[in-house]
Amino acid sequence: MRVLVIGSGAREHALLLALRRDPEVEALAVAPGNPGMAAIADQHDVDITSAEAVTELARRVGADLVVIGPEVPLVLGVADAVRAAGIACFGPSRDAARIEGSKAFAKEVMNAAGVPTAASEIVDNPAHLDAALDRFGPPAGEAAWVVKDDGLAAGKGVVVTADRDAARAHAAGLLDCGHPVLLESFLDGPEVSLFCVVDGETVVPLLAAQDFKRVADGDTGPNTGGMGAYAPLPWLPADVYARIVDEIVKPVAAEMVRRGSAFSGLLYAGLAITSRGPAVVEFNCRFGDPETQSVLPLLDSPLGQLLHAAATGRLAQFPELRWRDGAAVTVVVAAENYPGRPRVGDVIAGAEADGVLHAGTARRADGAIVSSGGRVLSVVGTGADLDAARAAAYSILSSIRLPGSHFRHDIGQTAAEGKIVVKR
């Protein structure tokens, strides 16, 4: 099988490494890729938001399977064009990708499917903002306002704050840019990311993971695209995991089929495990970053064959997934000033070590690897348990040098210490 992966981040780097372990995958290509992928895949510089360009490349490299990593090409319908050319594609249609592309659409689907989620309201007129904020103010003594961009925002369009002025400023800024605002009630409890490979109504869940959106230790500072993740979740009871699959993901997949927008690809459920049970924070239409970097190293089943089965309507016949023992921890190395405008162009030392996945990197004319984006590297450690995986990740980090960079020191720490409790 010849596989073409679309994307250039650490998520796609992790996908390529997992695909390389599949004995049926004989050739890998990536577009556009990054310097860290050069040793494992042929790189091609194309516009990944262009359906025509991606389809032509898939034909040129003789791809048997195209795997689309980022959400933007999916929301723009690139997967539809690849499939229309007769090439198997792992990734939902443009219509189905609205589950991430429009939070209002996702709420419609969840409500129709009877899935627990936060109460919400769309505000598209600045004149209605203050009254809506008053309706969604935090309950006495707890929680916060939750203000979201209704469209794609690369994980940074959300503000959760107990400060009404900050909530209003974020919402007003979005409205001023012509973006509708989604206000939600706050969901208490620890968060979970669950990836499910979906083919119509067939749902195959992967390991649950937890990511860290805030930029600084202790879950402080602004939201980012993700500063780290770990898997599996030792604190998540098996019955709660089963409820997420049976009472949330499967009903949503069935509702998408009922609407004529059957989902084929990776359906990502972001959830809060509240005192009343799991509730949806958001759905995404693709592998999450950085959770993918922690989940895929633990997968023992052949990834290429799994994704090809979903892309060709044969997921129901795929054998039960096999997983490696142990845990994986991913720590993101971010450039100076991220999540603001990042400093770029600095030389990175240690970027080619084992366990280092590239995201915002480029190769300079003299061969040096330099930073080119906000989230520069994902450092992945594995071990017999979370403590060992954390130690492995932070040991690798100690050998990396990037001027002005920063990372969180507490990825997976609370879970490793047994301090996360699911309220019943």
Side-chain angles (χ1 to χ4, degrees), residues 117-162:
T117 185
S120 64
E121 179 178 339
I122 290 286
V123 180
D124 56 11
N125 185 331
H128 301 156
L129 177 57
D130 286 304
L133 284 169
D134 290 341
R135 285 192 289 275
F136 280 84
E142 61 167 286
W145 280 275
V146 180
V147 183
K148 298 182 177 181
D149 188 330
D150 181 53
L152 297 178
K156 292 178 282 187
V158 181
V159 163
V160 180
T161 179

Side-chain angles (χ1 to χ4, degrees), residues 89 116 134 142 146 173 184 214 221 235 244 283 328 342 420:
C89 185
D134 290 341
E142 61 167 286
V146 180
E184 286 187 336
R214 300 282 189 166
W235 50 266
I244 294 169
F283 274 106
I420 301 180

Side-chain angles (χ1 to χ4, degrees), residues 226-286:
M227 293 299 293
Y230 68 94
L233 307 183
W235 50 266
L236 183 68
D239 66 308
V240 177
Y241 175 91
R243 285 183 63 188
I244 294 169
V245 177
D246 294 337
E247 299 176 15
I248 292 176
V249 182
K250 287 183 178 179
V252 164
E255 175 61 20
M256 296 289 281
V257 171
R258 190 192 69 78
R259 288 170 171 253
S261 304
F263 196 97
S264 174
L266 197 289
L267 187 57
Y268 164 157
L271 311 116
I273 310 303
T274 75
S275 55
R276 298 169 301 283
V280 177
V281 175
E282 64 178 353
F283 274 106
N284 291 331
C285 65
R286 39 69 194 184

Side-chain angles (χ1 to χ4, degrees), residues 3-382:
V3 183
L4 168 62
V5 173
I6 302 299
S8 61
R11 167 185 51 213
E12 288 75 33
H13 198 164
L15 283 165
L16 288 169
L17 290 172
L19 287 164
R20 187 174 62 170
R21 298 198 303 267
D22 187 330
E24 287 198 8
V25 174
E26 62 183 33
L28 288 168
V30 63
N34 63 45
M37 305 176 189
I40 55 176
D42 295 329
Q43 293 182 255
H44 302 269
D45 187 13
V46 302
D47 177 3
I48 65 171
T49 66
S50 166
E52 295 79 9
V54 172
T55 302
E56 192 278 329
L57 175 62
R59 288 196 185 103
R60 181 153 43 93
V61 301
D64 301 296
L65 173 68
V66 175
V67 179
I68 300 178
E71 62 273 26
V72 173
L74 294 168
V75 170
L76 293 176
V78 172
D80 303 81
V82 173
R83 277 191 284 269
I87 302 168
C89 185
F90 185 80
S93 67
R94 178 176 186 164
D95 197 35
R98 287 186 295 159
I99 201 157
E100 178 170 1
S102 168
K103 294 178 179 64
F105 174 77
K107 289 291 185 182
E108 287 178 17
V109 171
M110 285 185 273
N111 290 336
V115 167
T117 185
S120 64
E121 179 178 339
I122 290 286
V123 180
D124 56 11
N125 185 331
H128 301 156
L129 177 57
D130 286 304
L133 284 169
D134 290 341
R135 285 192 289 275
F136 280 84
E142 61 167 286
W145 280 275
V146 180
V147 183
K148 298 182 177 181
D149 188 330
D150 181 53
L152 297 178
K156 292 178 282 187
V158 181
V159 163
V160 180
T161 179
D163 183 337
R164 188 184 190 282
D165 290 340
R168 190 186 191 287
H170 182 64
L174 293 173
L175 290 167
D176 286 346
C177 294
H179 295 209
V181 169
L182 181 75
L183 299 181
E184 286 187 336
S185 58
F186 181 81
L187 295 173
D188 66 319
E191 292 197 1
V192 170
S193 299
L194 182 63
F195 299 164
C196 294
V197 179
V198 175
D199 167 18
E201 293 194 39
T202 302
V203 174
V204 175
L206 307 187
L207 290 180
Q210 186 178 63
D211 78 330
F212 295 74
K213 290 294 187 189
R214 300 282 189 166
V215 72
D217 290 358
D219 290 327
T220 58
N223 270 358
T224 70
M227 293 299 293
Y230 68 94
L233 307 183
W235 50 266
L236 183 68
D239 66 308
V240 177
Y241 175 91
R243 285 183 63 188
I244 294 169
V245 177
D246 294 337
E247 299 176 15
I248 292 176
V249 182
K250 287 183 178 179
V252 164
E255 175 61 20
M256 296 289 281
V257 171
R258 190 192 69 78
R259 288 170 171 253
S261 304
F263 196 97
S264 174
L266 197 289
L267 187 57
Y268 164 157
L271 311 116
I273 310 303
T274 75
S275 55
R276 298 169 301 283
V280 177
V281 175
E282 64 178 353
F283 274 106
N284 291 331
C285 65
R286 39 69 194 184
F287 280 100
D289 183 337
E291 298 99 321
T292 300
Q293 294 91 292
S294 291
V295 171
L296 291 187
L298 301 175
L299 179 65
D300 199 38
S301 295
L303 180 65
Q305 295 170 56
L306 171 65
L307 303 188
H308 191 266
T312 55
R314 298 179 296 106
L315 183 61
Q317 287 77 53
F318 197 82
E320 183 177 352
L321 296 186
R322 304 185 309 272
W323 296 95
R324 300 174 178 182
D325 293 335
V329 170
T330 299
V331 183
V332 170
V333 178
E336 182 177 342
N337 199 44
Y338 179 80
R341 184 174 182 177
R343 170 174 153 176
V344 298
D346 289 307
V347 174
I348 309 165
E352 295 178 323
D354 289 343
V356 178
L357 308 185
H358 288 223
T361 67
R363 191 175 293 278
R364 215 167 53 184
D366 62 1
I369 294 178
V370 299
S371 59
S372 65
R375 291 189 296 169
V376 182
L377 304 170
S378 281
V379 176
V380 184
T382 57

